[in-house]
Amino acid sequence: MIIDCHGHYTTEPDKLHAFRDRQLSALADPSRRPTAANIGIGDDEIRQSLEGAQLKIQRERGTDVTIFSPRASGMAHHVGTAEISREWTRICNDLIHRVCTLYPRNFVGVCQLPQHPGVSPANCIEELERCVNELGFIGCNLNPDPSGGYWTDPPMTDRWWYPFYEKMVELDVPAMVHVSSCCNPNFHATGSHYINGDTTAFMQFLTSKLFKDFPSLKFIIPHGGGAVPYHWGRYRGIAQDMKLPPLAEHLLGNVFFDTCVYHQPGIDLLTKVIPIDNILFASEMVGAVRGIDPETKHHYDDTRRYIDQVAALSPENRGKIFEGNARKVFARLDAYLDRRSKL
């Protein structure tokens, strides 16, 4: 089985975007505020949005199941108010649940969280519990920078985040560290802000004792870990200078990396530098990079092709990347796949 741990619903029906436009317009004129009941997205519209995109790509590339969440850039935690974020988050998560209900053999849900700058992450606990306990989701996306590029909240290792981590541990779910859209004009959203977020989160983890406080807490850092694999020697040296344990002991029981790296040399580097047990297959298909690479004539985000072409990978290690590691990190995934097999 090939499990893609990083997929977003980037082909949502237009009615969702129309609702969002009305929701944000109501910030200036509350009388125009829509209700979730007015969205009116039918099951056939959901099917149409997926059949020619994610489902088609799954079939073409030979992947089996995608761990699926709302559009990352659409979370936009810095927009509006905490109340708006809560309403928008619930709507987006409910839509993911409908996708997973219509296509239980293809998708399993991961939730967006109702974060907002300056609002305690404890505010997200209720939605996480709802999504895990009621909707059957197996994880969440956690934004380390709800301000959208200005980093106004405390680092992810601050006790500010601890109530939410306690709930993650209790529910036994991991979080993918994933920023959203950026309002700071210095940063391109997907080209720099996303990679900044990945790299910054790793450095925060490195310089803390977070995992002594939460030994079973698990994070996936997407996009191949940002700059981390390329500068692994730098981080090893910083940890050494700070008298911290070696990275394998200090972080790698808790921090994992995905394969959303869109060229062969990058995947080769990732699999050479990062221990195989810490790499999860992912593509973020129909995501930030959708085009065809003129050098290879294949889509940039066809990451299965890159893994298949890493000559140094044994069949056992390739199986860990494609399936085994996802089952290990997402503790609730096995039960979901077992239910799926009985449908």
Side-chain angles (χ1 to χ4, degrees):
M1 176 177 286
I2 297 180
I3 300 167
D4 186 338
C5 81
H6 188 170
H8 299 296
Y9 195 6
T10 55
T11 58
E12 323 95 313
D14 289 340
K15 288 179 181 177
L16 182 70
H17 300 289
F19 172 87
R20 180 64 163 168
D21 289 343
R22 295 195 303 273
Q23 184 193 47
L24 296 181
S25 295
L27 291 170
D29 182 2
S31 67
R32 300 175 60 186
R33 183 172 180 177
T35 65
N38 295 336
I39 298 178
I41 297 173
D43 287 351
D44 285 344
E45 292 172 276
I46 295 175
R47 293 188 183 98
Q48 184 178 9
S49 73
L50 295 164
E51 289 287 352
Q54 288 88 352
L55 289 168
K56 176 175 179 287
I57 293 171
Q58 281 185 349
R59 291 190 291 266
E60 290 175 347
R61 298 180 186 174
T63 59
D64 296 291
V65 62
T66 300
I67 297 175
F68 209 50
S69 62
R71 180 191 293 260
S73 63
M75 297 188 298
H77 295 119
H78 59 284
V79 176
T81 64
E83 182 183 0
I84 289 292
S85 180
R86 183 168 54 251
E87 180 184 48
W88 175 239
T89 293
R90 191 178 181 98
I91 288 168
C92 291
N93 288 335
D94 285 346
L95 192 57
I96 294 296
H97 178 56
R98 291 179 64 190
V99 168
C100 297
T101 301
L102 289 170
Y103 296 99
R105 300 187 67 84
N106 299 91
F107 301 102
V108 56
V110 161
C111 65
Q112 175 177 324
L113 295 168
Q115 297 177 251
H116 191 71
V119 176
S120 168
N123 189 55
C124 300
I125 289 174
E126 181 179 359
E127 182 64 7
L128 181 67
E129 289 182 317
R130 183 182 80 92
C131 288
V132 172
N133 293 330
E134 298 179 24
L135 305 186
F137 287 15
I138 63 170
C140 62
N141 289 341
L142 185 62
N143 186 351
D145 174 33
S147 71
Y150 289 97
W151 296 88
T152 56
D153 281 356
M156 294 186 75
T157 51
D158 191 272
R159 289 185 175 275
W160 164 266
W161 300 84
Y162 274 31
F164 187 75
Y165 295 160
E166 290 168 359
K167 183 57 63 173
M168 284 177 58
V169 169
E170 176 188 326
L171 295 173
D172 201 6
V173 294
M176 178 170 282
V177 178
H178 209 307
V179 295
S180 185
S181 51
C182 184
C183 57
N184 186 329
N186 288 288
F187 304 117
H188 183 276
T190 57
S192 59
H193 182 50
Y194 278 27
I195 307 305
N196 292 346
D198 305 333
T199 309
T200 298
F202 180 83
M203 193 63 199
Q204 290 176 0
F205 296 150
L206 187 154
T207 55
S208 78
K209 297 181 180 179
L210 176 64
F211 301 121
K212 287 191 174 182
D213 291 339
F214 296 98
S216 63
L217 190 63
K218 292 183 175 64
F219 293 103
I220 303 105
I221 300 183
H223 319 116
V228 173
Y230 190 75
H231 290 286
W232 195 247
R234 175 183 290 260
Y235 297 122
R236 287 177 56 235
I238 290 173
Q240 181 176 311
D241 290 345
M242 294 180 67
K243 311 301 182 187
L244 295 170
L247 294 184
E249 178 184 338
H250 185 46
L251 297 179
L252 294 186
N254 308 86
V255 178
F256 302 84
F257 303 82
D258 79 12
T259 65
C260 290
V261 179
Y262 296 146
H263 66 148
Q264 189 67 51
I267 291 290
D268 292 342
L269 173 71
L270 179 68
T271 56
K272 185 175 181 180
V273 172
I274 301 300
I276 296 301
D277 287 346
N278 290 80
I279 302 173
L280 280 65
F281 175 72
S283 69
E284 204 173 6
M285 60 182 175
V286 200
V289 182
R290 305 185 184 187
I292 293 176
D293 185 341
E295 296 179 5
T296 66
K297 313 304 180 188
H298 298 290
H299 283 87
Y300 286 101
D301 63 1
D302 187 357
T303 53
R304 178 185 173 176
R305 181 177 300 274
Y306 306 138
I307 302 300
D308 285 340
Q309 293 178 359
V310 179
L313 283 177
S314 67
E316 178 186 4
N317 283 340
R318 192 171 278 110
K320 287 182 177 181
I321 292 174
F322 279 143
E323 178 181 4
N325 294 340
R327 289 178 180 268
K328 176 179 66 176
V329 174
F330 291 91
R332 291 174 174 262
L333 180 57
D334 273 348
Y336 176 88
L337 294 175
D338 183 60
R339 292 193 300 272
R340 184 187 91 145
S341 69
K342 297 174 182 175
L343 295 176

